[in-house]
Amino acid sequence: MATAANTMTSNDGAAIEARLSEERLFPPSETFSAGANISDPAIYEKAGENPEAFWAEWARQLEWVEPFHTVCEWNPPHAKWFLGGKLNLAANCLDRHLKNARRNKAAIIFEGEPGDTRVLTYYDLWREVNNFSGVLQHLGVGKGDRVTIYLPMIPEAAIAMLACARIGAIHTVVFGGFSADSLRERINDSQSKVLITADGGWRRGNVVQLKLTADEALEGGACPTIENVVVYNRAADPRHVAMTEGRDHWWHRLMEISPKRVDPEVMDSEDPLYILYTSGSTGKPKGILHTSAGYLTQALATMKWTFDIKDEDVYWCTADVGWVTGHSYVVYGPLAAGATVLMYEGAPDWPHRDRFWEVIEKYGVTVFYTAPTAIRAFMKWGTEHVEKHDLSSLRLLGSVGEPINPEAWIWYHEQIGGGKCPIVDTWWQTETGAHMITPLPGVVSTKPGSATRPFPGIGADVVDENGDSVPPGSGGFLVMRTPWPSMLRTLWGDDDRYQKTYWSKFGSKNLYFAGDGARRDEDGYFWLLGRVDDIMLVAGHNISTMEVESALVSHPAVAEAAVIGRTHEIKGQAIAAFVTLKDGFRGTSELAGELKEHVAHHIGVICRPDDILFSAELPKTRSGKIMRRLLRDIAEGRALGDTTTLADPSVVAGLKDKYENAEG
Ligand code: 6R9
């Protein structure tokens, strides 16, 4: 038996093993394929033969001020797309729709948490964006200047982003749940001139005090580049909001005194569009830089083909605009496609656990895109909340953010999709800008738990340590062999880190390393295995967190599970599992024993967890991803590492106590 090094990054040496075998197959229905935006499987081969021609065809669907002359220039690791082209992204998302029947179509349907609603037609949104572009210009913001947006999930978030795009300013959206420290760090790194915020936003019946947090971030001149703060009045009585004279301005007042129309700035294809910070597990956040034409091209292509979006759809992506999913699939993708987007401000369990289903029924949502963390919460809560509502308007479901466990997939398919909606499990990253591995719902038969195939024109592969493709059925590192239009261009202000983080692992092979482990099966389908840093090394076997978690979730009592490897004298690492049960089940030692056997039986004895700890909650990032790094700290009895990106820091503190007592 090999004694593995006691290292937390267990990804060197042995190949990542794949044990989960999923036999269920869901071919697209004939009716779905017949009406789908893409139903010809030949597209994969066609795009594979000439990816540049494929992407150029999509790019030509945008509205250009001047056409591009070169599709792609690839100087590894730097790519440029659609060189020589001139366009404006806000004009592509708004102005072009005013020339056709979409002028009076709903662009954004907004549902506030307290139940207030608004509908903005494309014309309304265009007017607001024009006027707010005037506000930004009035405040001295010009092309290339940075603007930080710290807003709740309200239409003004989209308006502010699009106004930046209209005048050529670079936006950097900071999720409204982030602290003053995180906000300050992002403002300072991007050197933003203006901060756009609100007095507050609604979350579970309370007002999240954004303006107070913003004041704390700026206090004592801590953000010297900020000249002005724009405050949208969302939640409070304006008389009770402290405004700093000369610096702070009410959004509605500035709108009154600013120009109502601003022509879109003519932008180069490669002009920066936004910076979005990703926290990364260590070190300071990385400012992912996205540019204009390539980004919108891939956002539009995936909107039309992954989500099969049509003019009649009511499309709802539950992500916050603070994440990349909110950028590409709440704002840029859907609006470029002329879709109707639903925006919901609040929590899924407020005022009741059926709020999402109530919203779907109320607006007749047809395409619904959410995260596995939410799906597992719904599973935990039980089906009675779903059964209260008519969800028959739904025709397509999507998932993003983490691997979706096969049982969660099946639950989503049956309980939410009524067994009739294709599910698109979309793998991508802040860095990739848009979907990379996902089914085309009218073409690809899906397998629960697999993101299936790379989108046409995407050069994804699974490789070993040397960067060579692994044989079918084996696990390895997920990489991209070729550049893609919506790829990040660099890290803001740190091109060295860009090269080191994403392009150095396989040296001169110039492969983009995504940081995820994956397996490709005999049909060429991709199975995401989780972050490579989380993969466990048990007695010389590299075992994926995703597979042990999925085995646990396939037990009827389990709603959610997080597993980690903790140091073990003999095996190198032992598996510790943190398990959340469905409502109505109790965490007894008998059940713990049963779960260990369940895993051993399903995916192998080597994967049998050594410890099982029941927990009502798991530590998650604010975007809902399980933070295994902190669970390792707990299991190893170490002081907890950085907890600032946690949604609820009390969860780990509680788990730490529980774990120590259970062991002691
Ligand atoms: C869009 C987004 C990226 C990381 C990524 C991977 C995980 C996202 C996934 C998935 C398996 C999927 N991830 N989608 N894993 N299946 N469908 O989430 O961006 O916040 O940057 O996270 O999320 O680990 O590397 P981001």
Side-chain angles (χ1 to χ4, degrees):
M1 189 186 283
T3 305
N6 293 341
T7 158
M8 282 293 101
T9 42
S10 52
N11 53 35
D12 313 303
I16 303 164
E17 295 177 10
R19 300 170 164 274
L20 199 70
S21 79
E22 175 58 61
E23 303 291 329
R24 292 169 283 196
L25 189 71
F26 293 81
S29 75
E30 263 168 47
T31 35
F32 191 95
S33 290
N37 288 346
I38 176 78
S39 54
D40 182 3
I43 189 63
Y44 284 103
E45 219 186 314
K46 190 174 163 223
E49 276 161 15
N50 192 347
E52 288 193 11
F54 172 78
W55 289 119
E57 208 172 299
W58 275 108
R60 283 188 207 101
Q61 296 196 25
L62 301 178
E63 191 176 73
W64 295 86
V65 179
E66 272 176 45
F68 54 92
H69 54 66
T70 304
V71 179
C72 178
E73 189 186 278
W74 178 221
N75 290 315
H78 295 108
K80 290 183 178 164
W81 283 83
F82 311 122
L83 291 87
K86 309 266 181 220
L87 79 178
N88 182 281
L89 263 52
N92 269 280
C93 290
L94 300 170
D95 304 49
R96 69 179 309 191
H97 304 307
L98 304 190
K99 298 170 201 152
N100 59 40
R102 294 191 184 120
R103 185 187 179 88
N104 297 319
K105 169 182 175 171
I108 296 179
I109 298 176
F110 171 70
E111 167 95 8
E113 195 191 69
D116 54 323
T117 63
R118 276 161 77 189
V119 177
L120 287 101
T121 64
Y122 271 92
Y123 188 75
D124 293 331
L125 188 58
W126 175 83
R127 235 181 30 238
E128 296 289 330
V129 168
N130 266 276
N131 198 173
F132 198 69
S133 301
V135 168
L136 291 175
Q137 286 187 337
H138 168 84
L139 297 177
V141 179
K143 188 171 173 173
D145 287 338
R146 274 80 62 207
V147 172
T148 295
I149 299 174
Y150 184 62
L151 284 171
M153 257 314 262
I154 54 175
E156 280 61 31
I159 292 166
M161 289 161 76
L162 291 163
C164 288
R166 192 171 193 85
I167 65 165
I170 305 171
H171 59 70
T172 167
V173 182
V174 178
F175 172 57
F178 273 129
S179 66
D181 289 346
S182 306
L183 176 62
R184 187 186 308 118
E185 189 176 14
R186 287 157 174 76
I187 291 173
N188 286 338
D189 190 79
S190 62
Q191 303 207 296
S192 289
K193 224 171 164 176
V194 168
L195 170 65
I196 302 166
T197 187
D199 50 2
W202 292 97
R203 187 83 189 168
R204 296 206 169 87
N206 295 314
V207 174
V208 179
Q209 301 282 351
L210 294 173
K211 177 63 166 64
L212 289 183
T213 311
D215 284 341
E216 200 187 324
L218 303 182
E219 205 177 313
C223 299
T225 56
I226 292 287
E227 293 164 5
N228 292 286
V229 178
V230 183
V231 187
Y232 183 76
N233 186 205
R234 163 72 186 139
D237 182 335
R239 287 169 305 182
H240 299 146
V241 178
M243 300 287 277
T244 301
E245 182 78 34
R247 184 196 75 181
D248 298 354
H249 320 270
W250 285 108
W251 173 299
H252 57 276
R253 291 267 171 267
L254 290 176
M255 291 288 257
E256 280 166 18
I257 59 165
S258 301
K260 301 287 180 282
R261 290 240 190 148
V262 173
D263 284 337
E265 186 79 31
V266 176
M267 304 297 285
D268 191 88
S269 286
E270 280 297 329
D271 276 336
L273 174 65
Y274 67 80
I275 304 167
L276 184 59
Y277 289 89
T278 60
S279 39
S281 54
T282 48
K284 85 181 199 1
K286 302 189 282 268
I288 307 295
L289 182 74
H290 282 291
T291 57
S292 299
Y295 174 77
L296 198 65
T297 297
Q298 199 170 329
L300 176 67
T302 49
M303 199 63 216
K304 289 204 172 162
W305 279 9
T306 308
F307 293 133
D308 191 48
I309 210 75
K310 308 272 176 31
D311 256 320
E312 312 74 61
D313 277 313
V314 178
Y315 160 85
W316 183 16
C317 165
T318 65
D320 191 278
V321 282
W323 314 121
V324 72
T325 308
H327 285 59
S328 303
Y329 299 108
V330 175
V331 180
Y332 290 106
L335 297 176
T340 294
V341 186
L342 191 124
M343 250 177 130
Y344 169 59
E345 179 186 29
D349 56 354
W350 190 269
H352 303 292
R353 286 178 164 180
D354 64 343
R355 185 61 184 272
F356 274 19
W357 322 127
E358 182 184 273
V359 168
I360 289 178
E361 180 172 10
K362 177 171 173 188
Y363 296 103
V365 171
T366 55
V367 177
F368 180 62
Y369 189 34
T370 195
T373 181
I375 298 166
R376 292 184 304 246
F378 303 141
M379 286 171 75
K380 176 172 189 287
W381 298 341
T383 54
E384 71 259 33
H385 309 288
V386 183
E387 284 154 8
K388 281 189 207 143
H389 297 281
D390 173 13
L391 305 184
S392 60
S393 58
L394 289 171
R395 67 178 193 91
L396 179 75
L397 303 173
S399 170
V400 61
E402 286 181 295
I404 178 167
N405 319 105
E407 286 319 309
W409 194 106
I410 294 287
W411 189 94
Y412 196 29
H413 187 254
E414 285 172 3
Q415 303 301 329
I416 307 305
K420 69 174 170 61
C421 303
I423 295 182
V424 288
D425 173 8
T426 61
W427 179 90
W428 60 295
Q429 307 177 294
T430 306
E431 291 85 343
T432 72
H435 300 161
M436 300 292 281
I437 306 178
T438 172
L440 297 179
V443 179
V444 175
S445 297
T446 50
K447 302 182 188 183
S450 169
T452 77
R453 308 181 58 172
F455 194 84
I458 295 298
D461 198 3
V462 181
V463 300
D464 62 17
E465 272 304 308
N466 304 317
D468 297 324
S469 303
V470 299
S474 311
F477 304 98
L478 178 64
V479 298
M480 300 302 144
R481 291 197 173 276
T482 47
W484 62 99
S486 63
M487 67 188 263
L488 78 167
R489 297 305 194 256
T490 186
L491 294 179
W492 181 254
D494 200 347
D495 196 59
D496 269 358
R497 192 175 175 200
Y498 165 72
Q499 307 210 16
K500 281 197 193 96
T501 310
Y502 304 108
W503 302 93
S504 66
K505 190 168 172 68
F506 303 100
S508 60
K509 292 203 163 146
N510 293 320
L511 304 181
Y512 170 84
F513 173 45
D516 284 358
R519 165 173 76 94
R520 208 166 28 179
D521 70 16
E522 279 70 16
D523 299 326
Y525 280 43
F526 285 67
W527 297 78
L528 276 303
L529 299 175
R531 300 294 293 170
V532 159
D533 292 348
D534 289 334
I535 279 165
M536 303 169 290
L537 188 55
V538 181
H541 300 269
N542 266 324
I543 293 170
S544 129
T545 49
M546 147 67 174
E547 297 199 319
V548 181
E549 288 161 6
S550 290
L552 284 162
V553 174
S554 73
H555 187 281
V558 177
E560 183 157 52
V563 307
I564 51 110
R566 67 165 169 79
T567 309
H568 186 278
E569 279 178 2
I570 299 161
K571 297 195 279 190
Q573 288 189 328
I575 300 179
F578 296 77
V579 172
T580 302
L581 297 174
K582 287 185 187 152
D583 286 0
F585 288 92
R586 260 180 13 95
T588 59
S589 56
E590 289 73 39
L591 182 57
E594 194 180 315
L595 292 179
K596 290 180 189 176
E597 286 325 303
H598 182 79
V599 174
H601 176 73
H602 271 253
I603 54 171
V605 217
I606 190 93
C607 303
R608 178 195 278 118
D610 291 72
D611 319 324
I612 297 232
L613 191 82
F614 295 107
S615 166
E617 311 264 1
L618 296 172
K620 302 217 175 129
T621 63
R622 288 182 170 83
S623 64
K625 297 190 210 290
I626 298 173
M627 281 253 273
R628 294 179 190 77
R629 176 173 58 78
L630 291 172
L631 294 174
R632 283 198 296 266
D633 290 343
I634 292 174
E636 304 256 320
R638 279 194 299 264
L640 293 175
D642 184 7
T643 57
T644 51
T645 53
L646 277 179
D648 178 359
S650 69
V651 171
V652 263
L655 269 175
K656 195 167 160 59
D657 283 352
K658 211 170 159 184
Y659 196 87
E660 279 157 11
N661 292 331
E663 286 214 311

